Amino acid sequence: MKEPALPVRIRRLAEQDAPAVACLEAQCLSMPWSERAFADLAKDGNSIGLVAEWERRVVGFASLTGLSGEGEVNNVATDPAFRCRGVAGALLEELFRQGGEMGISDFTLEVRAGNAAAIHLYERLGFQSAGIRPRFYEKPVEDAMIMWRRSKPTIPTSF
Ligand SMILES: CC(C)(COP(=O)(O)OP(=O)(O)OC[C@H]1O[C@@H](n2cnc3c(N)ncnc32)[C@H](O)[C@@H]1OP(=O)(O)O)[C@@H](O)C(=O)NCCC(=O)NCCS
């Protein structure tokens, strides 16, 4: 049976969160960002970092960097003890909302081609596969699926 959604508080990343977020990512990803990278992200005016807190504990993180109206989702991670309870979904919905306020309408990301949980989540939130980047990831080597979530469908052009 599916567990109920975790009632997390979602707030903007602050420089002081960098150690906790780096620690969370190290538990979740084979190529995690450094503490320094998260501290820099918190100060970057073109980026949005969001932390999900439950009982004052950081249980999830997501971020994006905006460029020319497009947003690259960089990191998405949920503490293994709190997965499948809507944490990443809630973070991403809020990321799209705040991204929209920055003028971002289209979002993209890369995901390991074998990461079924993440691909399921992204498809549920409206992302579609747009191709494969062969052997993009290391540790272990794996293809990346490139995904896009566009506000308006792209219309194929004929010549
Ligand atoms: C991917 C990740 C961020 C999802 O976090 P989460 O908080 O569990 O996400 P949510 O609970 O919002 O949604 C997870 C969805 O995946 C589904 N899911 C879980 N395991 C699955 C699997 N093996 N296959 C298919 N779907 C799966 C859940 O049922 C849920 O879907 P639903 O809401 O339709 O039932 C988390 O698993 C994680 O941190 N993984 C390691 C880091 C990572 O891979 N990040 C993504 C990098 S691109």
Side-chain angles (χ1 to χ4, degrees), residues 110-120 129 131-137 140-147:
E110 282 119 14
V111 56
R112 283 184 182 269
N115 191 343
I119 291 170
H120 172 93
S129 173
I132 294 289
R133 252 191 250 290
R135 302 174 65 82
F136 178 76
Y137 289 106
V141 171
E142 190 174 354
D143 294 350
M145 181 187 285
I146 305 160
M147 301 187 87

Side-chain angles (χ1 to χ4, degrees), residues 7-108:
V8 286
R9 170 179 174 241
I10 295 179
R11 60 167 177 81
R12 283 294 274 256
L13 173 76
E15 263 186 271
Q16 309 87 275
D17 295 315
V21 176
C23 180
L24 170 69
E25 266 222 347
Q27 289 179 68
C28 298
L29 296 165
S30 64
M31 293 189 289
W33 283 17
S34 66
E35 225 177 279
R36 180 59 185 270
F38 288 111
D40 289 345
L41 185 90
K43 292 180 282 184
D44 178 8
N46 290 321
S47 296
I48 302 170
L50 295 177
V51 163
E53 268 185 343
W54 181 72
E55 296 191 343
R56 300 184 138 229
R57 171 174 167 184
V58 172
V59 297
F61 179 75
S63 74
L64 70 74
T65 298
L67 186 67
S68 309
E70 295 179 345
E72 165 100 36
V73 178
N74 305 310
N75 319 67
V76 186
T78 298
D79 183 322
F82 296 91
R83 289 190 184 157
C84 295
R85 299 193 60 186
V87 174
L91 279 163
L92 286 163
E93 298 273 19
E94 180 60 15
L95 209 52
F96 303 146
R97 195 190 67 75
Q98 293 195 21
E101 287 179 354
M102 272 172 71
I104 296 170
S105 50
D106 295 338
F107 299 85
T108 185

